Amino acid sequence: MTANDAQSQPWWKRGVIYHCYVRSFMDSNGDGVGDLPGLTSKLDVLRDGTPSSLGIEGLWLSPVYPSPNRDFGYDISDYSSIDPVYGTMEDFDRLMAGARARGIHLIMDLVVNHSSTEHPWFRQARTSRENPFHDYYLWSDGTNGKPPNNWGSTFGGSAWEWNEQTHEFYLHSFLKEQADLNWRNHRLREEIHDIMRFWMNRGVDGFRLDVANYYVKDAQLRDNAHEVVITQPMPGNPSKTLYIPMSREVYDHTVDQPETHDALREMRGVIDEKPGHMMVGEIAQRTQGQVLSYYGDGDSELNLVFNFFFFVRHFRAKDFRDIIQRTLDLLPEGAWPAWVLSNHDVVRAVSRYHCSPPMTKSMIGLLLTLKGTPFLYNGEELGLANTPLLRKLLQDPVGKRYWPLPVGRDGERTPMPWDDTANAGFTTGVPWLPVSAPAMSYSTESADPTSVLSFTRRLSWFRSHHSALNAGDMSIVAGPSDTCLCFTRTSSAEHMTITINLSDQTVAIPRGSFTSDQIPLFSTEEQPSMDSLAPWEVRIAAAPA
Ligand code: NOJ
């Protein structure tokens, strides 16, 4: 057995991690909002030990802590309990037990760049400069009644907000109701470590760290630079380009400060107190090299770092080949990649690339065959597209503020379609966001062996049974055409070649080419041809024994 093999892989390297936006997953009590009992009732869909479930290894929950919901859970007012809208701590324990029983590992969202301004820490902190919690946050007197610098909030406007009680500004990298925590305060760091231990002691297997590269800010509060960006994606049709010059902030003094790496190393120490635990980080606004630096020396900071570089405008073999190769080249020794196509903050990949179902399968085929941990966003397994929403139905603060450029994030957060009953079986009440037109659902796709869901389940099952795919090394090789992505995956037991035709054209496989003598083991096609790849075909093959 070598280090490449599945048995020696920790769970978070081995399997698919499912990103569940709890609010939109399944509502059990008719209030229109997804909740923990609803999610628990669907665990068999996620993993039941047979090929008819998704066979996930990990389940990441969007934030379920008490929150005033200015930013839908990313503004936490209590890190150690459950928001009543999602259920109780007993409901959480039941979810945990149900997940355990099925071999699913649970990951909580840890949002500690900022807390809600309703958090008791901030309520105290803002009352006086002498309050013991004052230093848990970032403050400045400003200059002549103005903020101390040009730092902007990611959600628009200045990142500084006036606090009348202490006559100072506080920093908020996002909404003014999300006050940034002071990571130079060691008592605060201890509090966060204790929060992690609290959930680990309750059975949680890991954390997804929200904007983990934002934690520490420049101590001298120096201005950020700005650059002019000429091209913008067209709202509603991101594959088209608008030419509008816009000034964009370069977050050189607000993200990636060296002390952030120290803080993450400390958190890693807490994670390592219990074997089998992990943290995966969201590293925002950075280049590929900067993002990968959050693995530390490969195994000293984050266990996994999301690779958001697939959020490009076009689903083209060349672009994806470059991104994958660059990732493999820049990845520190010992680090393991983490791939993402969609999440609750970006337009779903199916809408981004205007995917037909065969094209969607090629995308999922890629996600599940690359070396690394695939993160699957709920609905992606169905080929779900964004739901277009009328402005008056928007909930996301970003959409409300900026619509139509950008339209906001509600379109990728609409409820899961389960069946063809009212509200697609998500709720018996009024859903917090409209359910998309019931063109597809879990039940219709389950019944159709050619659906995206059936394909995803089949591939996930195949993946989990082949060490080449869930643990092997990877090399990109020349494919039969430029429109194909072709790579090998190799463990000590297996050697496989994956070829994905990222085009709507049939591609001939020339005799004597790399793949021509390989036997297909898995394909999107019922009868894969030895001479050609069908449009959008995903093929996993091996040399004859
Ligand atoms: C990233 C989260 O994914 C996003 O939903 C949130 O609005 C910001 N961080 C602020 O917490």
Side-chain angles (χ1 to χ4, degrees):
M1 204 58 62
T2 72
N4 267 341
D5 285 334
Q7 285 82 346
S8 56
Q9 289 277 66
W11 65 268
W12 47 269
K13 286 188 176 178
R14 191 169 57 222
V16 176
I17 298 185
Y18 191 76
H19 170 187
C20 176
Y21 195 72
V22 181
R23 211 176 165 79
S24 291
F25 198 67
M26 181 65 200
D27 174 21
S28 72
N29 60 1
D31 67 359
V33 173
D35 48 39
L36 298 180
L39 168 55
T40 307
S41 73
K42 294 289 184 190
L43 283 176
D44 275 340
V45 165
L46 301 179
R47 182 167 172 147
D48 70 357
T50 77
S52 57
S53 73
L54 266 185
I56 64 165
E57 193 71 47
L59 176 62
W60 150 29
L61 309 185
S62 59
V64 289
Y65 315 91
S67 162
N69 280 323
R70 297 308 181 108
D71 188 20
F72 293 100
Y74 286 92
D75 47 327
I76 296 171
S77 53
D78 176 356
Y79 288 99
S80 306
S81 53
I82 300 293
D83 193 306
V85 81
Y86 297 119
T88 61
M89 205 45 122
E90 289 68 43
D91 291 326
F92 178 82
D93 291 341
R94 272 189 286 273
L95 169 68
M96 189 76 244
R100 271 270 173 287
R102 290 166 180 81
I104 299 173
H105 300 84
L106 213 69
I107 299 177
M108 298 285 277
D109 219 309
L110 189 64
V111 187
V112 287
N113 169 69
H114 45 268
S115 77
S116 161
T117 49
E118 294 298 307
H119 193 290
W121 293 340
F122 190 77
R123 283 162 167 263
Q124 293 254 356
R126 76 183 319 165
T127 57
S128 118
R129 295 187 183 209
E130 279 70 51
N131 187 284
F133 290 97
H134 186 260
D135 192 49
Y136 274 26
Y137 293 88
L138 293 160
W139 304 93
S140 166
D141 291 340
T143 10
N144 305 324
K146 298 244 165 46
N149 60 26
N150 70 353
W151 295 354
S153 148
T154 307
F155 290 163
S158 169
W160 295 97
E161 182 70 16
W162 184 247
N163 181 49
E164 192 51 43
Q165 282 152 293
T166 55
H167 277 257
E168 329 157 86
F169 291 92
Y170 65 87
L171 184 72
H172 59 91
S173 295
F174 296 90
L175 297 176
K176 66 177 176 16
E177 293 83 3
Q178 294 167 296
D180 279 33
L181 290 161
N182 176 14
W183 276 81
R184 291 202 174 85
N185 180 311
H186 285 272
R187 204 154 54 92
L188 181 268
R189 287 194 190 189
E190 289 296 324
E191 300 253 24
I192 288 165
H193 299 165
D194 287 345
I195 291 164
M196 293 168 73
R197 291 189 186 103
F198 172 84
W199 289 106
M200 283 160 68
N201 288 336
R202 245 185 146 97
V204 159
D205 301 283
F207 301 95
R208 175 265 185 191
L209 270 45
D210 192 66
V211 290
N213 59 329
Y214 275 51
Y215 291 176
V216 182
K217 316 294 184 301
D218 180 44
Q220 298 168 52
L221 306 184
R222 282 170 291 184
D223 274 353
N224 274 339
H226 277 77
E227 65 184 7
V228 174
V229 186
I230 311 283
T231 56
Q232 321 292 329
M234 182 185 280
N237 187 355
S239 60
K240 293 246 156 42
T241 302
L242 291 179
Y243 293 88
I244 310 173
M246 277 195 187
S247 169
R248 188 168 67 190
E249 186 168 353
V250 180
Y251 294 84
D252 43 355
H253 293 304
T254 37
V255 306
D256 282 351
Q257 303 303 297
E259 295 104 309
T260 299
H261 291 274
D262 302 336
L264 290 172
R265 268 191 298 276
E266 279 177 23
M267 289 170 89
R268 178 59 187 269
V270 177
I271 286 290
D272 289 344
E273 285 169 9
K274 287 196 167 207
H277 287 70
M278 58 83 80
M279 42 184 199
V280 51
E282 178 196 35
I283 303 300
Q285 316 278 4
R286 296 286 95 181
T287 65
Q288 240 168 317
Q290 288 162 329
V291 165
L292 297 174
S293 73
Y294 284 85
Y295 285 99
D297 66 11
D299 194 25
S300 53
E301 295 182 28
L302 297 173
N303 302 83
L304 293 175
V305 180
F306 290 122
N307 193 319
F308 293 141
F309 294 92
F310 281 173
F311 299 168
V312 285
R313 261 357 135 62
H314 303 283
F315 188 46
R316 278 192 297 236
K318 182 187 171 314
D319 300 351
F320 275 70
R321 196 181 298 119
D322 288 351
I323 296 163
I324 297 161
Q325 189 61 62
R326 216 172 316 131
T327 302
L328 296 177
D329 291 346
L330 295 173
L331 204 67
E333 183 78 26
W336 185 253
W339 304 103
V340 188
L341 280 167
S342 301
N343 68 25
H344 65 294
D345 289 332
V346 295
V347 64
R348 286 180 178 273
V350 165
S351 300
R352 199 183 313 142
Y353 306 127
H354 305 284
C355 292
S356 59
M359 185 174 170
T360 306
K361 290 180 193 171
S362 69
M363 224 162 45
I364 292 178
L366 176 69
L367 188 69
L368 265 59
T369 53
L370 289 172
K371 173 185 174 179
T373 303
F375 281 79
L376 197 67
Y377 179 45
N378 61 202
E380 209 163 13
E381 70 275 32
L382 300 173
L384 200 65
N386 264 49
T387 307
L389 297 171
L390 294 175
R391 188 176 188 182
K392 63 176 188 217
L393 296 175
L394 297 184
Q395 302 275 351
D396 175 26
V398 176
K400 284 184 168 176
R401 178 164 185 165
Y402 291 111
W403 190 93
L405 191 67
V407 291
R409 302 168 294 179
D410 292 310
E412 55 264 24
R413 297 177 176 181
T414 56
M416 282 287 279
W418 292 105
D419 55 38
D420 54 10
T421 62
N423 293 317
F426 163 70
T427 181
T428 52
V430 181
W432 77 286
L433 278 176
V435 179
S436 60
M440 60 178 63
S441 72
Y442 244 88
S443 69
T444 49
E445 291 205 27
S446 291
D448 174 4
T450 68
S451 67
V452 173
L453 177 62
S454 297
F455 166 77
T456 309
R457 286 171 170 167
R458 200 158 62 84
L459 180 54
S460 174
W461 182 258
F462 185 87
R463 184 187 190 282
S464 66
H465 286 82
H466 287 281
S467 60
L469 294 181
N470 58 44
D473 277 330
M474 168 173 169
S475 301
I476 296 185
V477 293
S481 105
D482 272 359
T483 62
C484 291
L485 263 172
C486 191
F487 49 94
T488 58
R489 299 291 314 275
T490 309
S491 66
S492 64
E494 297 174 318
H495 179 81
M496 290 183 178
T497 304
I498 292 91
T499 314
I500 306 177
N501 178 8
L502 297 195
S503 80
D504 56 6
Q505 305 293 312
T506 300
V507 169
I509 303 176
R511 289 256 160 254
S513 74
F514 190 74
T515 44
S516 64
D517 60 343
Q518 305 226 341
I519 311 294
L521 305 174
F522 178 99
S523 168
T524 33
E525 298 302 297
E526 224 171 289
Q527 296 281 322
S529 155
M530 291 303 284
D531 303 320
S532 62
L533 288 152
W536 307 112
E537 181 173 346
V538 177
R539 182 179 298 191
I540 305 174

